[in-house]
Every structure is written in structure tokens, then in C-alpha cells.
Amino acid sequence: MSPLDARPVAGDVAPYFALRDADGTERTLTAAAGSWLALYFYPKDDTPGCTIEACEFRDAERALQDAGAIVWGVSPDDQESKAAFRDKFSLNFPILADVGHTVAEAYGAWGERTVGERTFTGTDRVTFLINPDGHIARVWGSVTPTGHAAEVLAEITAQRG
């Protein structure tokens, strides 16, 4: 089964998770209840595409907050890597360490990837918009980092009416 086959879709209840952020604070799906949550999975801290995506979410954070949304990024890097990435780029939202990739697996964001001629197992760049009631509102698969934060904000605005 490919990750796409296991990926939750709009209308599904979002899979529960509990992960630690760069400071060791536990972040859970339950704690996000009542807010829109943009939960985005990315392959690796401090790499070109991941940095573009994170910095765009950083720059859109005020507008996202005004729309009633929070952003959490997830990758398999450890807390130390998360702290260095956050500090280097002044990220203003939690980035979560999914070292065992169990949450990425639950969300269908972990599997075989091909980049160029190289095939490996890793995290797919995918974003889930979770509504305040804990259901998946929208899924973006194979995200292009540039412009993605604006897409997420536009979707939240549209869904809120």
C-alpha cells in the first residue's frame, strides 16, 4: 500500500497525535481543538524547499492567527535539529519532531519517494487543514513550497465563509 492509499481525506476525523516541539513541549491534536490547524509535513529541517515553506508560514503567521488558525510543521528530525532550524530562521510556530515517523505514517505522509534517480523512504511534503472540530477540511499532496502558505490562508478564509 502506498502512502497515498493510507492518507486521510477531507471529511475524515484527523488521526490523533502527540509530538514534542523544539523546546520539548508536547503538542497534541486535542490541544489544537477549537482552532483551524495547518499541519504540514516536510522532509528535512534547513533544506532549500523546507526552508522556503517554513519561512512563508512564518511570514503569514499573523494573518493565519487573525483567521483563527495555527500552524505546526512536522518532520522526522530530532528536537535539537528543530531548535537549530527554528532559531536560524526565526520561526514563530511549533515544529514537531516525529523521529519514529509514526505520525507521518498515520497521515500517509511517509513512504517511498523518488528524487531524480534516487529512491528512498521518507516524508512526503503534504499539508492537512484540520477544522476546529478535528476533521480534515483539505489535503494538499506533493506541495510546492513557494506560495503554499497563501494557499492555506485562502482555503481557511473560504471555508470560514
Side-chain angles (χ1 to χ4, degrees):
M1 180 189 305
S2 78
L4 185 57
D5 296 331
R7 189 170 287 166
V9 296
D12 288 352
V13 173
Y16 177 79
F17 65 88
L19 291 173
R20 302 254 174 219
D21 67 15
D23 294 323
T25 301
E26 185 176 72
R27 306 290 178 151
T28 67
L29 181 61
T30 305
S35 296
W36 288 88
L37 172 61
L39 185 68
Y40 81 95
F41 291 85
Y42 63 97
K44 186 160 180 55
D45 292 338
D46 202 5
T47 56
C50 299
T51 299
I52 289 168
E53 188 174 23
C55 290
E56 287 197 3
F57 276 120
R58 175 201 64 206
D59 296 345
E61 203 241 352
R62 170 62 82 196
L64 287 160
Q65 279 185 347
D66 289 348
I70 55 177
V71 175
W72 292 347
V74 180
S75 82
D77 303 296
D78 62 23
Q79 286 176 253
E80 184 177 316
S81 177
K82 298 272 168 254
F85 185 41
R86 176 200 60 203
D87 295 348
K88 181 176 181 179
F89 294 100
S90 301
L91 301 180
N92 51 9
F93 58 89
I95 49 176
L96 311 178
D98 187 21
V99 177
H101 50 79
T102 56
V103 176
E105 288 180 34
Y107 278 82
W110 180 264
E112 190 172 277
R113 301 179 61 224
T114 301
V115 176
E117 295 183 13
R118 189 171 149 239
T119 299
F120 58 95
T121 301
T123 300
D124 190 20
R125 190 180 309 280
V126 59
T127 299
F128 296 86
L129 180 60
I130 302 170
N131 72 21
D133 295 325
H135 289 82
I136 305 290
R138 171 89 190 260
V139 179
W140 289 267
S142 301
V143 167
T144 299
T146 303
H148 184 55
E151 289 177 320
V152 172
L153 180 58
E155 182 68 22
I156 293 165
T157 302
Q159 290 217 16
R160 289 185 66 194

